[in-house]
Amino acid sequence: MRTIVVLMDTLRRDYLECYNSNTDCMNPNIREFAQDSCRFDNHFVGSMPCMPARRDIFTGRLNFLERSWGPIEIYDTTLPKVLFQEGNIRSHMITDHAHYFRIGGENYCQQFNTYEFFRGQESDPWVSLIDDPWQPEKYFGDVKRQYQCNRTRFKEEKDYSSVKCFDAAMQWIDNNKGAKDFFLMVETFDPHEPFDVPQEYLDLYNDDYTGPHFDLPIYHKIDEETDEAMEHLRRRYKALITMTDKHFGRFINKLKEANMYEDTLIILTTDHGYCFGEREYIGKSYMPAYNELANIPLLVHLPNQKGKGKAYKQITQNIDLMPTILDYQEINIPTSVVGKSLRTIIEEDKPIQEYALYGTYGCSVNIYDGQYTYMRGGRDQSQCYEYTTSLTTIRNWLGKEKGENIEMGRFLPRTNMPMYKVPSSPAALVKDTCFVNTDHLFDLSCDYEQKKEINDPEIIKKMENLMIKAMKENEAPLEQYKRLELQYSLD
């Protein structure tokens, strides 16, 4: 069977017409695709942000309880490898996500039989200019010199790397027209920041902003940014979704022209969302894991459009994608996989998960039970360690200032591979944990926007017990219970 995963980075579900009929963000091709697909309304992240989320997807288990940002581990069992080794199904990745090729992003693309990478996103060290490129004199947020160098290559829309990804996907379909079994992953960094987009898409949103340049926010609480600047930023994001939607639509049309749409499993999702001023937060990671970040879109197009147009309320997470794909490919799901196949929901209308457990390494641990979301912050950050066979993290070496405190041994029961145990203080991804290590409780059945805090000891106790159960089932390291001051027992 043919399987295609389209992953758009930082895609907020409430900006999509298929999830929010009141949005003014134009994404007609995703809307049309949703009409042919199953829509999952209680779909949540697992680990955040980018690379932790991808390890979840590739391995079918949560990353954030034992490690921050890092590579595929030597002991990981990954989706592309299982597909090829157990089913002789060849895989190909098309991406412009530069983090795969920086320190801390090792071995993800290499899981595929083949892959293509298109240069230029964010601070991808691509275009070399000795003299400084153009940079605005006044701006909000940040302006990265390397991206301004890269932008000198973006003369037309076709030059943008996300557009090149969809062009390459269409060419790949032409080259493999009629193939019956494959796994294709098409991944675009857009609509991730910087929210750089051709002017014609901004014009669709009547953007007449004349203030300081603003397309790359710094993650922080709003201070100097004006209301006009924030609205401009939102319009840039909408415009970038609209451009990405256009080229997604071209790709879907190519599948239809090649008679490879109707009987193909096609999954559209993202890694996490983004805050655009809600509660005065801009960005991700450093704030509590509100729904703007954690409740993400998932659309699943089944062969012969089974379940077409149906919306499911059962709890799902990105760790469920690997077992779903293997299930539909009739390949045994490895015992290491914690996620569950969506097929049970689609064909039997039954739940597969009692909860969604999610978070960013070193920050609060969050759980959703179908009604309540409970966020529990760390009490004792000295009980925070990373477990890895490779001392790399985002653009850096992990633990390089703490060599005398790093241990080595066999610490995770599921593998006999020796690994490093690295003390993490502060959290590797979030230097200031004052926001993310706080407790919150919300009732999503009447407060989806999470504006009304609840302080009910009985509900909190219930959610604590569910969190303990969930952490056990996800094989959390024992010190995580100490960090959160949760009572661990062997039974």
Side-chain angles (χ1 to χ4, degrees):
M1 190 180 73
R2 297 184 283 258
T3 302
I4 299 172
V5 172
V6 179
L7 183 69
M8 299 179 186
D9 202 299
T10 317
L11 184 64
R12 265 183 59 161
R13 57 168 261 167
D14 58 330
Y15 280 66
L16 300 182
E17 297 172 15
C18 59
Y19 279 99
N20 178 13
S21 60
N22 295 320
T23 184
D24 65 346
C25 181
M26 292 171 265
N27 41 87
N29 294 297
I30 294 177
R31 181 189 68 229
E32 183 176 335
F33 176 74
Q35 292 168 354
D36 286 345
S37 306
C38 302
R39 190 187 77 213
F40 291 82
D41 291 348
N42 278 318
H43 187 66
F44 281 79
V45 298
S47 307
M48 297 182 286
C50 300
M51 298 316 291
R54 283 156 179 79
R55 188 173 179 227
D56 284 7
I57 293 171
F58 280 43
T59 64
R61 56 183 303 123
L62 296 174
N63 171 95
F64 83 98
L65 292 169
E66 62 189 39
R67 200 193 67 186
S68 65
W69 183 297
I72 289 292
E73 299 284 0
I74 190 172
Y75 53 84
D76 282 343
T77 301
T78 64
L79 173 60
K81 291 291 187 182
V82 174
L83 285 170
F84 187 61
Q85 292 168 359
E86 302 298 326
N88 198 33
I89 296 169
R90 304 193 70 83
S91 60
H92 183 66
M93 173 186 268
I94 298 169
T95 184
D96 63 345
H97 194 104
H99 289 303
Y100 283 127
F101 303 94
R102 292 189 174 114
I103 294 177
E106 299 87 356
N107 301 327
Y108 287 84
C109 287
Q110 291 78 7
Q111 300 302 303
F112 292 78
N113 295 106
T114 50
Y115 61 86
E116 295 175 78
F117 173 45
F118 294 95
R119 305 294 301 270
Q121 288 281 20
E122 205 182 38
S123 293
D124 177 21
W126 179 39
V127 176
S128 175
L129 295 177
I130 303 303
D131 293 333
D132 285 341
W134 174 86
Q135 298 193 67
E137 294 183 6
K138 296 182 179 180
Y139 55 87
F140 291 125
D142 198 7
V143 175
K144 293 187 182 293
R145 183 187 187 277
Q146 182 59 60
Y147 186 67
Q148 295 304 110
C149 290
N150 295 345
R151 287 190 79 244
T152 63
R153 299 280 183 92
F154 301 159
K155 306 295 186 183
E156 302 177 53
E157 183 175 338
K158 64 181 179 62
D159 300 327
Y160 282 73
S161 57
S162 63
V163 178
K164 291 180 179 180
C165 283
F166 282 117
D167 284 345
M170 294 169 68
Q171 183 62 56
W172 193 90
I173 293 300
D174 280 339
N175 294 344
N176 294 279
K177 188 174 181 179
K180 299 299 183 184
D181 291 301
F182 61 74
F183 174 51
L184 173 64
M185 187 163 181
V186 183
E187 182 178 342
T188 64
F189 199 57
D190 289 339
H192 190 290
E193 79 272 10
F195 306 119
D196 181 22
V197 64
Q199 184 61 41
E200 67 181 272
Y201 292 97
L202 270 176
D203 291 342
L204 293 173
Y205 294 94
N206 300 314
D207 186 69
D208 57 0
Y209 175 72
T210 58
H213 182 86
F214 193 24
D215 66 2
L216 180 57
I218 293 174
Y219 297 173
H220 72 300
K221 293 202 85 170
I222 293 174
D223 45 33
E224 62 177 355
E225 293 86 1
T226 63
D227 290 345
E228 292 78 12
M230 288 304 302
E231 182 56 32
H232 170 65
L233 190 71
R234 295 183 197 102
R235 287 172 177 163
R236 296 195 76 92
Y237 177 68
K238 294 173 191 174
L240 196 51
I241 289 177
T242 300
M243 184 177 84
T244 309
D245 173 83
K246 170 187 170 182
H247 297 285
F248 171 74
R250 293 174 53 235
F251 174 59
I252 294 297
N253 286 335
K254 172 61 73 172
L255 290 172
K256 292 177 179 177
E257 292 169 4
N259 294 317
M260 295 170 70
Y261 177 73
E262 293 294 336
D263 56 352
T264 299
L265 174 64
I266 307 170
I267 297 171
L268 172 62
T269 192
T270 188
D271 49 0
H272 52 70
Y274 201 84
C275 286
F276 285 96
E278 294 85 3
R279 307 169 195 82
E280 298 189 342
Y281 290 116
I282 307 176
K284 62 177 184 283
S285 298
Y286 72 95
M287 70 285 286
Y290 293 114
N291 282 340
E292 289 86 356
L293 302 174
N295 187 200
I296 56 175
L298 174 64
L299 302 173
V300 178
H301 172 277
L302 294 163
N304 303 313
Q305 298 185 18
K306 185 177 178 65
K308 173 180 176 178
K310 188 163 184 179
Y312 293 99
K313 302 296 183 183
Q314 289 91 338
I315 297 171
T316 59
Q317 295 190 261
N318 270 353
I319 58 172
D320 300 325
L321 299 186
M322 177 179 179
T324 299
I325 293 169
L326 293 176
D327 193 3
Y328 277 104
Q329 291 283 6
E330 299 183 349
I331 294 174
N332 290 333
I333 298 168
T335 56
S336 61
V337 172
V338 177
K340 302 292 192 298
S341 173
L342 301 175
R343 196 168 184 173
T344 301
I345 297 176
I346 295 166
E347 296 186 2
E348 302 177 36
D349 203 21
K350 293 180 179 179
I352 59 172
Q353 304 282 14
E354 183 183 356
Y355 55 79
L357 185 71
Y358 55 95
T360 298
Y361 171 81
C363 301
S364 63
V365 175
N366 315 282
I367 193 162
Y368 170 63
D369 71 350
Q371 179 175 0
Y372 298 104
T373 293
Y374 178 52
M375 307 175 183
R376 188 175 182 91
R379 274 64 168 162
D380 183 0
Q381 288 300 94
S382 70
Q383 299 295 322
C384 198
Y385 297 89
E386 301 204 40
Y387 296 93
T388 182
T389 58
S390 179
L391 292 177
T392 61
T393 189
I394 180 171
R395 302 188 185 95
N396 212 333
W397 300 103
L398 182 65
K400 67 179 181 180
E401 308 298 335
K402 313 170 190 175
E404 68 280 5
N405 297 320
I406 296 175
E407 302 175 56
M408 196 164 191
R410 291 176 172 84
F411 300 111
L412 299 183
R414 72 175 187 276
T415 176
N416 62 2
M417 290 300 300
M419 63 186 64
Y420 300 102
K421 180 180 179 181
V422 184
S424 180
S425 178
L429 293 174
V430 183
K431 292 183 172 59
D432 184 355
T433 61
C434 64
F435 295 120
V436 290
N437 271 318
T438 52
D439 291 2
H440 303 276
L441 177 65
F442 301 99
D443 183 348
L444 267 59
S445 67
C446 59
D447 180 29
Y448 177 79
E449 295 182 347
Q450 297 169 305
K451 293 183 177 180
K452 301 173 185 175
E453 297 267 0
I454 299 173
N455 185 14
D456 186 319
E458 289 189 11
I459 299 174
I460 291 172
K461 185 61 178 176
K462 170 191 169 187
M463 299 304 288
E464 286 177 348
N465 290 336
L466 182 60
M467 184 172 287
I468 292 169
K469 177 184 179 182
M471 289 172 63
K472 286 181 180 178
E473 291 177 349
N474 285 273
E475 300 179 288
L478 295 183
E479 66 270 7
Q480 282 282 10
Y481 300 91
K482 297 178 183 178
R483 184 178 79 90
L484 299 170
E485 290 186 0
L486 292 171
Q487 190 63 42
Y488 177 83
S489 62
L490 293 175
D491 55 332

